Amino acid sequence: MPVKTLKIDGIDIAVEQGTSILKAAEEAGIRIPKLCHLEGVTDVGACRLCLVEIKGINRLLPACVTEVAEGMEIVTTSPQLQEYRRMTVELLFAEGNHVCAVCVANGNCELQDVAIEVGMDHSRFPYRFPEREVDISHPKFGIDHNRCILCTRCVRVCAEIEGAHVWDVGYRGAAAKIISGLNQPWGEVDACTSCGKCVDACPTGSIFKKGTTTSEMQRDREKLEFLSDARGKHLWTR
């Protein structure tokens, strides 16, 4: 496969054609903040935290869905990018009901980690305090829409790895939310296999196992990556 040479933060890098900027940066040991990216599933550029600057392009581009090109000069950290990323995290906190002190994912939450990474300690935007429901109709799991950041990881994991297509995004704008089935209670969706992959994929405490209390959420991200790789490389054994 053809190789592309480029610079990321002044570092010369050579990667295969078709590689995303995010993947190229990771291979070079350069970290770019992200929330919607998950190894093993398709990238969609939903969270916009991985925006980068590219010389010659007058707009910021998401690193996860932008392929490398020959001669690219990319900047992943700058005052402008830091400000945009901090603002994005502030908006995520302001538009939902994220009360970390009583969340099952407290201390094991990617939204918390990113907030620390970008230096967000408060939101300059007024909190919306939306009225969102909690669906605990499933016998094993529950979904708290107050903690959802619409990263769509659950949607992609369920569709691309499990193949059940239980989850989707319904409505528009501020009313948008993750729905199960045709907007049915989760427990009434016959397509659900109760595999728990959506629980492992969720970056916050939005999708959780019943019986889990504050700060008890545990996930296995490597399981999802293994399942995806095994299916693609036909590694299943009987």
Side-chain angles (χ1 to χ4, degrees):
M1 184 173 286
V3 172
K4 301 296 183 182
T5 58
L6 60 148
K7 286 185 179 226
I8 302 181
D9 292 342
I11 301 173
D12 291 315
I13 295 172
V15 293
E16 290 183 352
Q17 179 178 309
T19 303
S20 69
I21 293 175
L22 180 64
K23 191 68 176 176
E26 288 179 347
E27 289 181 6
I30 300 169
R31 172 170 169 75
I32 300 177
K34 56 193 179 294
L35 277 173
C36 65
H37 171 79
L38 183 66
E39 289 294 331
V41 295
T42 304
D43 284 309
V44 295
C47 72
R48 316 309 279 187
L49 278 170
C50 68
L51 292 174
V52 294
E53 298 174 2
I54 301 176
K55 185 177 180 179
I57 299 178
N58 63 356
R59 66 185 187 280
L60 304 178
L61 294 177
C64 64
V65 292
T66 304
E67 292 185 5
V68 298
E70 183 66 33
M72 264 186 175
E73 293 186 26
I74 302 162
V75 175
T76 67
T77 304
S78 71
Q80 180 188 30
L81 290 171
Q82 188 71 358
E83 173 62 21
Y84 278 141
R85 288 167 181 162
R86 184 167 58 247
M87 184 185 300
T88 298
V89 177
E90 289 178 26
L91 288 167
L92 288 174
F93 273 92
E95 68 85 31
N97 296 314
H98 300 280
V99 185
C100 300
V102 293
C103 181
V104 294
N106 188 19
N108 188 22
C109 172
E110 292 182 42
L111 181 60
Q112 276 184 340
D113 294 341
V114 166
I116 294 168
E117 184 175 358
V118 302
M120 180 263 177
D121 57 4
H122 70 283
S123 177
R124 76 194 83 172
F125 305 103
Y127 287 88
R128 293 184 59 245
F129 299 114
E131 293 186 13
R132 294 177 179 170
E133 70 273 20
V134 179
D135 181 358
I136 54 172
S137 60
H138 193 284
K140 291 185 177 180
F141 313 117
I143 178 169
D144 185 347
H145 293 280
N146 293 285
R147 301 165 181 166
C148 181
I149 58 172
L150 290 176
C151 66
T152 71
R153 282 187 181 182
C154 56
V155 177
R156 289 172 282 151
V157 162
C158 190
E160 298 176 19
I161 296 182
E162 183 61 18
H165 299 273
V166 171
W167 301 106
D168 208 336
V169 180
Y171 305 98
R172 296 188 178 195
K177 69 173 187 176
I178 296 295
I179 59 172
S180 50
L182 296 174
N183 205 12
Q184 304 165 269
W186 188 2
E188 297 178 12
V189 181
D190 293 334
C192 182
T193 61
S194 301
C195 67
K197 293 183 179 65
C198 54
V199 181
D200 283 327
C202 184
T204 67
S206 182
I207 305 180
F208 56 91
K209 294 179 182 177
K210 283 186 174 180
T212 306
T213 188
T214 303
S215 304
E216 285 188 348
M217 174 71 78
Q218 296 293 326
R219 304 182 183 87
D220 187 359
R221 306 273 193 245
E222 293 181 358
K223 177 180 73 175
L224 300 176
E225 187 176 354
F226 164 76
L227 290 172
S228 176
D229 289 344
R231 176 170 294 176
K233 297 175 182 177
H234 304 289
L235 298 178
W236 301 118
T237 57
R238 294 183 182 275

